[in-house]
Amino acid sequence: MKRWDLRRVLPMIIAPIAALVLAALVSSAALLISGKDPLEAFSAMFDYAFGPNSGPDVTTEILNKATPYYLAALAVAIGFRMGLFNIGVDGQSRLGILAAGALGAASFLGVVPGPLRVVIMIIVAMAVGAAWAAVAALLKVYRGVSEVISTIMLNFIGGAIFAYLLTTERLGVKAVGGEIVSTPLLKSDSWIPGMSLFAGTANKMFGFAFVAIACGIAYWFLVGRTRFGFDLRATGLNPSAAVASGVSPKRMVIATMLLSGGVAGLVALPEVLGRDHAVTTSTPALGFTGIAIALLGRNNPVGIALAALLWAFLDVSNLPLDLLDIPKEIVTIMQGVTVLAVVVAYELAARVGRRQQQRSVGAATGEAAIVTLGIPAAIAAKLGVEAVSAPVEPPDSTAPTDPTVPGKHREEQS
Amino acid sequence: MPADAVPSSAGGPPAVELRGITKRFPGVVANHDVFLSVSGGTIHAIVGENGAGKSTLMKILYGMQRPDDGEIFIGGSPITIHSPQQAIRAGIGMVHQHFMLADNFTVLENVVLGAEDEAGIGAGARKKIQQLSSQYGLGVDPDELMEDLGVGDRQRVEILKVLYRGAKIVILDEPTAVLVPQEVDELFGNLRELTREGLTVIFISHKLDEVLSVADAITVIRRGTTVATVDPKSVTARDLATLMVGSELPSPEARESTVTDIPVLTINGLTVSTPAGRALVDDVSFTIHKGEVVGIAGVEGNGQAELVEAIMGTRAARGSVQLDGNAIGGWGTRQRREAGVGYIPEDRQRHGLLLDAPLWENRMLGHQTEPPNAKGPLLDIAGARRDTEQIVAQYDVRTPSIDVTAGALSGGNQQKLIVGREMSHIPKVLIAAHPTRGVDVGAQAAIWEHIREARRAGMGVLLISADLDELIGLSDSLKVIYRGRLVADADPDTVTPEELGLAMTGAAAGSSREESA
Amino acid sequence: GDNGGGATPTATKKTVKVGLAYDIGGRGDKSFNDAAAAGLEKAKTDLNIEANELEAGATETEQDKYNRLKLLCQGGFNPVIAVGFVYAGVDPANGPVAKAAADCPNTKFAIIDSVVDKPNVASLVFAEEQGSYLVGAAAALKSTTGRIGFVGGCKVDLIAKFEAGYIAGAKAAKPDIKVDVNYLSTPADRCSGFNDPAKGKTAAEGLYDAGADVVYQAAGGSGVGVFQAAKAKGKKAIGVDSDQYNTVDPALKDVIITSMLKRVDTAVFDFVKSMGEDKFAAGVQVFDLKKEGVGYSTTGGFVDDIKTQLDDYKAKIIAGTITVPTKP
Amino acid sequence: MTADTVLASTPGGMPAAPVKARRLSTPVILLLVAAGLLAFSAVRVITGADDITSSGAVRAALASAVPIGLAGLGGLWSERAGVVNIGLEGMMILGTWGGAWGALTFGAWGGIIAGAVAGALGGLLHAVATVTFNVDHIVSGVAITILAFGLARFLSSLTFANMAGGGDTQSPNVPDLPRISLPGVSALDGVESKHWFLVSDMAGILRGLLTDVSVLTLIAIALVPLTFYLLWRTSFGLRLRSCGENPQAAETLGVNVYRYKYYGVVVSGALAGLGGAFLSMVASSIYREGQTAGRGYIGLATMIFGNWRPGGLAAGAVLFGYTDALQLRRGSESVHALLLLIAVILLAVGVWQIVRGTRIAGLVSIALAAPVAVWYFTTDQIPVEFVQAVPYVTTLVVLALASQRLRPPAADGQPYRRGGG
Ligand SMILES: Nc1ncnc2c1ncn2[C@@H]1O[C@H](COP(=O)(O)OP(=O)(O)OP(=O)(O)O)[C@@H](O)[C@H]1O
Ligand SMILES: Nc1ncnc2c1ncn2[C@@H]1O[C@H](COP(=O)(O)OP(=O)(O)OP(=O)(O)O)[C@@H](O)[C@H]1O
Ligand SMILES: [Mg+2]
Ligand SMILES: [Mg+2]
């Protein structure tokens, strides 16, 4: 078995595609039930997203929407890789962005040059997000509180703090004519400029997308290429073995939670720095979206990127469905089914892969087995046994390595 | 108990007969054309190397695995068994190799589970359990919580579970692995009691002398096939071993002492307590010198695991631990390992491997901060891969490549990988807990040889094992642990397994057998 | 959404294609969005129009709103009506409506509840505090216990306007009246209090138990819970936005003594009508008492006896002798 | 290491049994309840926050506790069978839709059934994913919640949107279930409104619990002892729990683990669905999108809080329901009054700890009591944002204090495959 064995990799590629097809079928069925034409729906979505009219703008928009999704999913994935469920991305992101937004617009920082203020905002957002995540980490480490529950509670509590602070009596302001409370608008020197992807589009891609990409690369490098990453993965794969290997579980939980919360703090920054230029009470909650996307992308930085784009495509392109009087909830249904189908498909693919590995192990060790078979003649003679000692014929012992043999495999018994 | 309903041994059809059983797993033929005939009212032993297919065969008989081929006869009539339920209905009961008990349930709940129809789950069941317990002298209290019981009691609960269901055929898969000789004797007493009542016992063990002493017939399985059925009176343990392995065993190597007087690991007053204050390891002190193997004998659950964990730094402890002159008591596990403590954990799958990761990543585990696995804070993947190839070759890990996952390897090969990994870092001290548990004879000899070799090179070894022969054969000095205390020292040159076993139960505390190390 | 194909042509000059974008909650919220829908429905029957309606999703960015507006204007809809302040965005000068209006300079836009200063945008805003003042006075006058209540769906400034007017009106009518205020949510949970009738019910019960006998709700979809509580306790309630006496479940009608009318329906209808007559006027249109843009309902006849007093307040507000506060 | 290490003689007797979690005896519990009642009563009299023991607050607490408790019971069934169910929220969403739709189509009782069935279908999906396909339990739960949200909206656009008074996001008014009052208790109204020390408090509590109670509330309350009976006193329950403790062992004893896991998860979904139906039928008489507002997760927290036992879970649900009800009933004042209570409790705990000899913990408690008291005396109200966080803070604090005594089923959340052991 080679390092990149096609037999092992192929199921992993087929799995998400099969899941997508299934999701499309399910939503088609839903559409047919409500008397709509699925093809019309899908073509309207594609036309809106990539067609000549709206295409360039909407495609850019998909990228822009995918950017915070990507960050949210990365935040979740860091935890997932060590078996930690950070469901609190939402709260961490809101507190982080509020602190960053308020500070970025604060007058006492007015003298600081814009780019430096951006850096300060990024650092503050990460620090506050990490600090809020640390509450859950400490509760887990020292009080044994499951992070699943504590982060959910902390989302509500963080939200309360956010809502308390972002009012016109405190950190918030209201623009003339508007009703939305937000932090003061950032000065334009601390905006991150966007870039046009296609000629003549009004919509610009967030400059922060490059930060997100950098985060993805950093994630890949950290998890796959560093000692810390090894500890992280080892803990996720087998916590007790990781402990025996020298990983300190407490430190690991805290470090991972801090990292995850830090990235969570970044989630809303692309939009704030690139478009809104202020933090509002309606910062979208991306915690659950992040979980779903991390799962779809198998916690892999490239997979997450693809999943984020898919998710963003579905979210953005459903807009024209209303015009056609097609219920756009089918998109949510499709998202839910995709996640479920993808994880099931990966599970099945992993089973196929595992079986293939066992076969190849069996094939490699089976040959060795045959050589040693047979009773030494001396012993047989001494004991007078040979009645039931027929050695196993070689073809049979290797039979299961032939994939076509319909042996009763463990996987098929249930 | 249905003592009457059992076909008598002589003359009638065999109580259990298996014909031509074949069972394949992906990549493995676990059973191939197996024939087995067990007479009623006897104790029938099955022996074979690890992975020979014994457990699989019994699981087939008990309905937990379906054979690909072959027939089963109970009391002479053919029967299909597709689930444990059917097996139980056919009068078959099984005590599994690993305890099948729910810790958070009471004894009663564990026993009646699945057999609620017998006597309900309340007072009736309690009465029945008490009655069975006294009838067979098991001494089990139905209302105790499982987690409060020791291994011996657990074993008896397992047997009680089988009896409670009115089994006429009782399968015991390695029931003695975790028992001390005295407990084994008790168990055998129980088994004979059962056969006197007319029950049939099928019994799997790796301990050949035990088998010879208790069985009425012995079947040897090798590589999934029945090799022979022999009469215990006409064979020796050595004959059996030869049948199992299929070749002559290497004779035990003559011992030569390599012990120096340079201490490498010194433990002083080491104490591990539960949160409630009970001492699990109680004021333990000893020294390991360069080139010395110190063996710890003890019944499982007397603090060995905690002692190892305390030395490895994965469990809080009081007292001092000195490695090569450095007090390492306050160090974390990583620091200890980097300082030269090698570790072969007791449960390799739980503590030693990442089953879903490839071999080369498993090679890094535990040494992820050291060359060849790391350069500074980064991993050195190429280095680790190269070194893994070398370990695979040197330690005869049977695998098609280093990219398969560790979970795809057999237990013995997994163990060889772990041993190779630990040895290749040339530890100053090796903490080896049951280094050959679940490993077949060939691999066992190889692992011993590796340990001896490293010892010659000056490594100190702390050896913990349930295999008394291994302990005696490998150790330069032996200590007995009982309830967390070192209660006796023994000289491996003179002590016998029986004496050691006696000391392990605490009975010999203070007796004349101890000698100074 | 609605296909809006069935417009019966009547005496208007040309067919107007109206695109309407709802706020979160959308059609069927029995309140704010439904008021806009009612205006559109009326336009459909009375005028020669075609219409299409788009709903907002639960978690949207400003960009999504902008995309929605742009989809409508690019789809040839003119005018495009944005229902709700969210469409103005954080910075109305640069928000979804402003941007879409810049992108489609030939399309006329209307925004409800916010002011967007663009040559092709009409801003339709309401003096909710004035209407609330009147129902506050009504509540105080109707109260026998000297204690009344207010249930707000979410603690945001817009709802505070309702609260402020209500309290001011009540105090004007009865200076020693006690007003208990209870908000159902905050932006902390993304204003779930607009969607949780159970919370509305619990909160209103708390107010009634504390002695209030009239409760005014500005709680969107949770308002029905307030009416249920009133029914169960045999107390009274005041509706909001549309004449809820007419929209609520018949069993609950008799608890609603009046509703604070925020004539989003009229605003929408008038706006569509003006488009048909080519009379689009950019700029702010304040729908206040004077313009009958806010008011109180009398359906059910519960406030007939105090109508003169209420109308007196109304006249004073119109005349400017009373200025109603917008912050509590 | 010398020869004399050899023989420390064995300490006599068996090693001490591990300390078991202390169970409170009935008199102690009664005493604690009485003390609690006294404290509440005193705080009410001192602060004048009559709502903290009013019948209305108690009734609201009950109504608030029921959906959470049902979700928690759902979690219990599932996790006792070894399957973590974080999809409770989604199953609840399905239940809100099912309850309203069923009630509108078949009448109120039909709503109960439809709500439970809708939730059960969600549970079935979770079971298929986790039990049959061995998908990670949390993953499946998250996916089901996403799916349920879309499905409920889709279904309402198919059903409610066509009904008079309904829309894509809300249903018409849903027919109500009967409500029951214990005869005679209503008469306590007079006593309650006097605001006497202790007497009025007890009257308020009794009235809240015994009058004007929906039958679905009664059903929900009855489900708590019923769950206990079924899971701990029947062979069905023994088997189901064995799947959460040691499925391999259960398998070897002939228990069909898959089947019992399916039972557990499907019942779990049905209970969560019932909780959803309660929301749309009893708590608000209307289906409204987003109405569950995270109650499924709170239910899960309640179950953990209750140590995976029905009684503890019910206590947790009531605590959460109480704080939730209080914050909704002129919360700024009521919760403000609770500050005093908290200060008093902290002080009492501190003194008790010092008496017991844990000086430092005691001093910490007392030190914490001081700022709370200061907060109370220097303010009149608590900002509404914080008032609304009270239930979550309470849950988190209690979990932080109690988590280490908790004992989840041993095989909870672990994948299981037949023949895999
Ligand atoms: N639960 C399981 N699931 C899948 N495969 C398994 C499982 N248990 C064992 N195997 C397969 O069986 C083989 C060896 O398993 P096991 O650990 O029983 O080895 P063994 O026979 O004891 O080996 P050895 O003789 O080397 O000790 C491996 O190839 C592995 O793929
Ligand atoms: N569930 C399984 N899936 C795949 N292979 C298996 C499984 N169970 C057992 N095997 C394989 O079947 C072979 C026989 O295993 P079995 O457990 O019967 O051996 P055994 O004789 O009981 O060994 P031991 O002495 O270690 O208990 C093993 O080599 C293992 O590879
Ligand atoms: Mg084995
Ligand atoms: Mg075995």
Side-chain angles (χ1 to χ4, degrees), chain A residues 199-381:
Chain A
T201 50
N203 207 3
K204 294 199 159 108
M205 190 183 88
F206 289 149
F208 208 85
F210 292 104
V211 179
I213 292 171
C215 285
I217 294 171
Y219 168 84
W220 165 82
F221 186 78
L222 182 81
V223 169
R225 289 290 181 272
T226 66
R227 279 159 40 174
F228 176 81
F230 187 89
D231 288 353
L232 184 100
R233 279 182 294 133
T235 311
L237 288 169
N238 185 348
S240 46
V243 169
S245 85
V247 175
S248 154
K250 289 186 179 181
R251 220 177 305 155
M252 208 63 215
V253 167
I254 293 174
T256 307
M257 236 12 201
L258 285 177
L259 272 177
S260 175
V263 178
L266 294 177
V267 167
L269 273 176
E271 286 169 344
V272 168
L273 290 176
R275 183 176 59 215
D276 300 346
H277 310 310
V279 180
T280 75
T281 48
S282 58
T283 1
L286 294 185
F288 268 90
T289 312
I291 294 174
I293 291 172
L295 297 174
L296 269 184
R298 302 298 293 168
N299 300 323
N300 170 298
V302 176
I304 296 174
L306 294 175
L309 287 170
L310 171 69
W311 207 267
F313 162 73
L314 289 174
D315 270 354
V316 171
S317 68
N318 68 49
L319 202 53
L321 293 186
D322 256 348
L323 284 180
L324 300 170
D325 204 22
I326 293 170
K328 60 179 184 213
E329 298 70 50
I330 57 140
V331 168
T332 321
I333 294 178
M334 201 161 159
Q335 289 171 333
V337 173
T338 310
V339 174
L340 208 54
V342 160
V343 285
V344 170
Y346 273 121
E347 173 68 28
L348 296 179
R351 279 185 205 175
V352 171
R354 228 176 288 148
R355 199 150 60 204
Q356 259 157 7
Q357 292 219 352
Q358 278 167 4
R359 283 214 190 98
S360 77
V361 171
T365 51
E367 290 154 28
I370 298 155
V371 181
T372 57
L373 275 175
I375 301 179
I379 304 260

Side-chain angles (χ1 to χ4, degrees), chain A residues 358 410, chain B residues 25-26 28-30 48-57 59 65 97 173-174 206 438, chain D residues 419:
Chain A
Q358 278 167 4
R410 201 173 71 94
Chain B
F25 290 114
V28 188
V29 185
E49 276 189 278
N50 287 121
K54 308 175 296 289
S55 298
T56 304
L57 190 64
K59 284 182 182 169
Q65 300 278 11
Q97 190 166 355
D173 192 352
E174 291 196 40
H206 286 290

Side-chain angles (χ1 to χ4, degrees), chain C residues 124-194:
Chain C
L124 317 178
V125 297
F126 295 83
E128 293 93 349
E129 71 282 1
Q130 295 183 353
S132 299
Y133 186 95
L134 298 184
V135 297
L141 294 170
K142 279 287 169 185
S143 170
T144 53
T145 57
R147 200 161 178 156
I148 57 175
F150 173 80
V151 172
C154 186
K155 193 160 174 7
V156 290
D157 282 4
L158 183 66
I159 303 300
K161 248 164 124 184
F162 291 73
E163 181 198 341
Y166 180 70
I167 295 176
K171 297 266 188 218
K174 270 193 195 166
D176 56 347
I177 192 93
K178 183 146 177 26
V179 189
D180 288 321
V181 174
N182 209 131
Y183 280 94
L184 300 182
S185 67
T186 66
D189 53 5
R190 303 198 153 75
C191 290
S192 69
F194 283 128

Side-chain angles (χ1 to χ4, degrees), chain C residues 59-241:
Chain C
T59 58
E60 282 196 342
T61 61
E62 289 193 2
Q63 187 72 16
D64 296 319
K65 306 208 186 308
Y66 160 74
N67 287 342
R68 180 171 303 109
L69 298 176
K70 194 156 172 206
L71 182 71
L72 285 170
C73 75
Q74 285 185 335
F77 292 93
N78 189 9
V80 172
I81 304 173
V83 181
F85 63 81
V86 286
Y87 282 97
V90 178
D91 177 11
N94 255 315
V97 170
K99 282 202 286 180
D103 288 349
C104 307
N106 298 324
T107 305
K108 308 297 181 205
F109 287 83
I111 167 97
I112 292 173
D113 273 355
S114 274
V115 178
V116 172
D117 190 12
K118 289 274 167 190
N120 55 339
V121 178
S123 305
L124 317 178
V125 297
F126 295 83
E128 293 93 349
E129 71 282 1
Q130 295 183 353
S132 299
Y133 186 95
L134 298 184
V135 297
L141 294 170
K142 279 287 169 185
S143 170
T144 53
T145 57
R147 200 161 178 156
I148 57 175
F150 173 80
V151 172
C154 186
K155 193 160 174 7
V156 290
D157 282 4
L158 183 66
I159 303 300
K161 248 164 124 184
F162 291 73
E163 181 198 341
Y166 180 70
I167 295 176
K171 297 266 188 218
K174 270 193 195 166
D176 56 347
I177 192 93
K178 183 146 177 26
V179 189
D180 288 321
V181 174
N182 209 131
Y183 280 94
L184 300 182
S185 67
T186 66
D189 53 5
R190 303 198 153 75
C191 290
S192 69
F194 283 128
N195 284 318
D196 201 334
K199 279 189 178 169
K201 194 169 165 188
T202 307
E205 279 170 358
L207 296 174
Y208 290 127
D209 283 349
D213 53 356
V214 182
V215 172
Y216 174 37
Q217 62 88 4
S222 306
V224 65
V226 175
F227 301 143
Q228 287 164 356
K231 181 83 188 168
K233 299 270 174 193
K235 302 280 169 64
K236 298 297 177 193
I238 296 175
V240 75
D241 290 347

Side-chain angles (χ1 to χ4, degrees), chain C residues 300-314:
Chain C
F302 297 99
V303 290
D304 290 352
D305 50 338
I306 54 171
K307 194 163 184 313
T308 46
Q309 279 156 287
L310 298 182
D311 287 343
D312 183 38
Y313 287 124
K314 184 174 166 183

